């Protein structure tokens, strides 16, 4: 049992020694390659997000314009309805005043 543990410890020590003994230039090259992979993956994700955003803008722009036009028309309709209701209220007040005056 001890010999198996000592063999495992020796192989760990050999692996660490090998890692420390590797060529520093190779380590830098490996690090740069890993960075390149990471940047490429990030670029692909960014491109996908950009395309999704552009699709959203192009498809929803028409819907937004339509809803804005509908809202403007509704504002005009409500404004005219409010104006006519105000005029009817003023006319009712005038009629009320007239009828109260004729009763007295």
């Amino acid at each position: 049992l001890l010999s198996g543990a000592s063999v495992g410890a020796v192989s760990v020590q050999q692996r660490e020694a090998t890692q420390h003994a590797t060529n520093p230039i190779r380590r830098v090259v490996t690090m740069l390659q890993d960075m390149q992979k990471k940047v490429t993956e990030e670029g692909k994700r960014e491109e996908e997000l950009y395309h999704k955003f552009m699709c959203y803008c192009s498809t929803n722009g028409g819907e937004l314009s339509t809803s804005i036009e509908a809202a403007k028309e509704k504002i005009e309709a409500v404004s005219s309805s409010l104006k006519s209701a105000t005029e009817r209220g003023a006319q009712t007040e005038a009629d009320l005043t007239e009828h109260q005056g004729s009763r007295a």
Side-chain angles (χ1 to χ4, degrees), residues 9-81:
V10 170
S11 66
V12 170
Q13 289 175 349
Q14 287 175 348
R15 186 177 38 196
E16 289 178 357
T18 305
Q19 287 176 350
H20 290 297
T22 41
N23 186 356
I25 295 173
R26 182 73 229 159
R27 287 164 64 206
V28 170
V29 169
T30 303
M31 183 179 65
L32 289 173
Q33 289 172 340
D34 291 341
M35 287 174 61
Q36 182 181 13
K37 287 178 188 175
K38 185 177 178 181
V39 168
T40 303
E41 290 171 2
E42 288 176 358
K44 287 179 183 177
R45 281 196 307 264
E46 289 291 327
E47 186 176 3
E48 289 173 9
L49 289 174
Y50 173 77
H51 288 299
K52 285 181 183 178
F53 179 73
M54 292 308 294
C55 180
Y56 171 80
C57 289
S58 64
T59 57
N60 289 331
E63 293 174 12
L64 290 174
S65 297
T66 305
S67 66
I68 288 171
E69 289 299 320
K72 285 180 180 179
E73 291 173 7
K74 186 175 181 179
I75 288 171
E76 291 174 12
V78 169
S79 295
S80 65
S81 173

Side-chain angles (χ1 to χ4, degrees), residues 76-88:
E76 291 174 12
V78 169
S79 295
S80 65
S81 173
L82 180 62
K83 185 177 179 181
S84 67
T86 304
E87 290 172 356
R88 275 189 312 211

